[in-house]
Amino acid sequence: MSQRPVTAVIVGAGHRSMCYASYAKARPDAFQIVGVADPLEYRRKQVAAEYNLPPDRLFKTADDLARAGKIADAVINGTMDHHHVSTSLPLLEAGYDILLEKPFATSEEEMWALARAARRLGRKVMVCHVLRYAPFYAAIKAKVLAGEIGELMNIQTTEHVSYHHMATGFVRGKWNRRDRCHSTMLMAKCCHDLDLIAWMMSGTPVKAVASFGGRMFFRPEKAPKGAGTRCLVDCPIESTCEYSARKMYIDHPVRWGAYVWAELEHLGETTLEQKIESLKGANPHGRCVWKCDNDVVDHQSVLVEFDTGCVAAHNMVGGVARPSRSIHLLGTRGEIQGVLEDSRFVIRHADPRPNRETSEQVVDLNIGGDMTGAFGGHGGGDERLVADFVHFVRGQPRSISCTSLDDSIQGHLIGFLADKSREQGRVIAAPRL
């Protein structure tokens, strides 16, 4: 028997929440957007026009929405990191289930406060760990669950953040200072990867965490000789610099448009001249990458010991030429290794036959089509995540990728402990959960 669509209100109408909300256009029989809460009037009007919302379904804040009573089944919370918990708590009290953007908290204290509230109220909170839904990682997890490589002994993951992503989000942009966004680089960018590590271990408790890293490259003393302070204003080497704001944002206006042109968003359609003037003016993305106010790391390594004895290592490096995520799982009976962007992985087993050493099976998930085009954003994860959230709210069977709030605690805990370890220069024992 068919069920009515799950209804949802967008809280924080930014890039990610609007991406998740778009599932309502693809599957209106399963998901519908019935309201929005955002402090910016033009965003409220945009969402209202896009989803045909009446004036009484437009709210300035999460508190205003909560005071209005329960008008939907769920909320898509896409606010900034440090607002996730403060906006979610009144909505849980009001009776909403929540699809919550990651990182779902910016400290251990916030994490536990949200977890306690969700448990006390019996609400469903699902965290947007979209990489669990990428066919690449979902297929690897299925192989692990099937016992293909035995018990995990070692996990190695990497995230290489491209030079243009690093510059836009974490040097010039809104995640470049911890006192402003309240999240570290590790938590803002790599909580996906830390969640994948915890997910592959199927909830096995973490025993200890150590971490090293810092801000090595994006510093004033690393600036090329003669570099100015703003690319399009006073920089004589702009035309030869790979971090040129003109090359990144004018020559490629779509790639990071949602972030770079935020201050022009209220204007609707903008001209090339308006964008250039913005970069010459107060737009933070017009600054020299070596002369910004950033304080987050540009590289960090994390080492995790689990109760079983398995050890995991994650390496994040920002500013690389080619972005990529890779994973290598080594178990007692074999190994799995692959790169997300290649959309394939290899399963290896020992092969003692004469003239053999290993047997290999290649699992190719990209046969006959482009990975991104075929499956959507985040390696195919975005649409699958919202579909699973609908099942979660309805109480229907969920996929192996579905992550409740309790499922997400372990990965976030690794991140919080890693940052503490890096800052304090010591190994940090994990609390017993």
Side-chain angles (χ1 to χ4, degrees):
M1 181 182 296
S2 62
Q3 291 183 279
R4 68 169 180 82
V6 168
T7 55
V9 178
I10 299 168
V11 176
H15 175 67
R16 292 308 302 158
S17 55
M18 293 302 288
C19 177
Y20 300 132
S22 67
Y23 184 68
K25 297 177 181 179
R27 288 292 309 276
D29 59 313
F31 197 54
Q32 291 183 359
I33 301 302
V34 299
V36 62
D38 194 289
L40 300 176
E41 182 180 10
Y42 68 86
R43 284 191 174 178
R44 296 195 297 272
K45 289 182 176 178
Q46 287 173 349
V47 176
E50 193 166 345
Y51 291 99
N52 194 29
L53 305 180
D56 64 347
R57 294 298 178 91
L58 313 183
F59 305 89
K60 287 185 178 181
T61 68
D63 286 331
D64 290 341
L65 172 61
R67 283 192 291 268
K70 190 179 179 188
I71 65 169
D73 301 308
V75 159
I76 302 172
N77 190 336
T79 56
M80 282 295 289
D81 301 354
H82 57 292
H83 294 311
H84 287 169
V85 173
S86 62
T87 54
S88 292
L89 290 175
L91 296 171
L92 291 173
E93 294 284 353
Y96 289 98
D97 294 327
I98 300 178
L99 179 63
L100 183 57
E101 183 59 298
K102 60 81 198 168
F104 72 78
T106 58
S107 69
E108 288 183 66
E109 293 75 19
E110 281 189 342
M111 177 176 75
W112 296 124
L114 186 63
R116 286 194 297 268
R119 292 166 185 166
R120 174 174 58 83
L121 296 165
R123 305 287 181 248
K124 296 174 180 177
V125 179
M126 180 172 151
V127 180
C128 297
H129 286 303
V130 294
L131 287 186
R132 289 192 182 202
Y133 291 87
F136 175 80
Y137 289 112
I140 290 176
K141 175 62 176 179
K143 297 294 185 183
V144 171
L145 287 174
E148 288 264 356
I149 60 172
E151 185 178 7
L152 289 177
M153 299 174 64
N154 189 273
I155 301 173
Q156 301 165 23
T157 60
T158 65
E159 181 172 9
H160 295 161
V161 185
S162 73
Y163 66 97
H164 50 85
H165 194 167
M166 185 74 196
T168 302
F170 305 99
V171 180
R172 293 169 170 147
K174 57 186 177 181
W175 290 281
N176 78 335
R177 289 187 63 85
R178 189 172 184 178
D179 62 0
R180 186 155 52 231
C181 73
H182 300 266
S183 284
T184 63
M185 171 76 179
L186 182 69
M187 290 303 294
K189 192 70 187 76
C190 297
C191 68
H192 282 311
D193 308 271
L194 303 180
D195 174 71
L196 290 170
I197 289 172
W199 186 42
M200 294 301 165
M201 290 301 294
S202 300
T204 304
V206 172
K207 185 176 181 180
V209 178
S211 182
F212 302 91
R215 182 168 62 98
M216 179 178 174
F217 183 56
F218 296 99
R219 308 169 62 95
E221 60 270 26
K222 299 288 187 178
K225 186 177 181 180
T229 58
R230 296 193 72 86
C231 298
L232 304 187
V233 175
D234 62 356
C235 186
I237 66 168
E238 179 270 325
S239 64
T240 60
C241 179
E242 63 266 33
Y243 289 99
S244 160
R246 184 188 304 277
K247 294 174 183 175
M248 286 190 177
Y249 314 128
I250 299 299
D251 295 346
H252 293 279
V254 176
R255 184 163 58 187
W256 296 110
Y259 303 112
V260 178
W261 312 122
E263 66 173 33
L264 304 177
E265 187 179 355
H266 66 287
L267 299 176
E269 292 294 324
T270 53
T271 65
L272 181 63
E273 290 72 22
Q274 286 174 314
K275 291 177 178 178
I276 290 174
E277 286 305 309
S278 173
L279 292 175
K280 288 181 177 179
N283 190 326
H285 296 282
R287 297 178 293 176
C288 173
V289 292
W290 292 282
K291 299 178 182 181
C292 292
D293 59 345
N294 54 304
D295 66 5
V296 299
V297 303
D298 52 25
H299 68 293
Q300 187 168 353
S301 296
V302 180
L303 198 63
V304 185
E305 182 183 15
F306 289 90
D307 274 4
T308 60
C310 177
V311 172
H314 176 67
N315 288 300
M316 182 281 294
V317 183
V320 304
R322 179 181 184 269
S324 67
R325 273 187 163 102
S326 66
I327 188 168
H328 195 172
L329 307 176
L330 297 107
T332 54
R333 295 183 52 248
E335 61 185 90
I336 298 173
Q337 185 176 21
V339 176
L340 171 64
E341 288 72 16
D342 294 341
S343 197
R344 65 180 181 177
F345 58 87
V346 178
I347 305 172
R348 300 187 185 95
H349 293 99
D351 189 342
R353 291 178 294 174
N355 302 316
R356 300 288 186 92
E357 184 176 14
T358 61
S359 64
E360 292 191 352
Q361 174 194 355
V362 176
V363 179
D364 192 338
L365 302 165
N366 196 34
I367 298 173
D370 171 71
M371 176 184 67
T372 302
F375 298 119
H378 282 96
D382 289 347
E383 185 174 342
R384 287 176 170 80
L385 181 146
V386 186
D388 224 14
F389 179 64
V390 169
H391 295 157
F392 189 27
V393 172
R394 286 175 167 173
Q396 295 173 326
R398 297 170 282 157
S399 75
I400 61 172
S401 301
C402 191
T403 170
S404 69
L405 183 61
D406 286 339
D407 295 330
S408 295
I409 285 176
Q410 194 85 304
H412 273 55
L413 183 62
I414 291 172
F416 294 137
L417 297 182
D419 282 321
K420 185 184 294 185
S421 169
R422 185 186 66 80
E423 292 162 1
Q424 297 181 5
R426 64 185 181 92
V427 176
I428 305 294
R432 297 289 92 184
L433 303 185

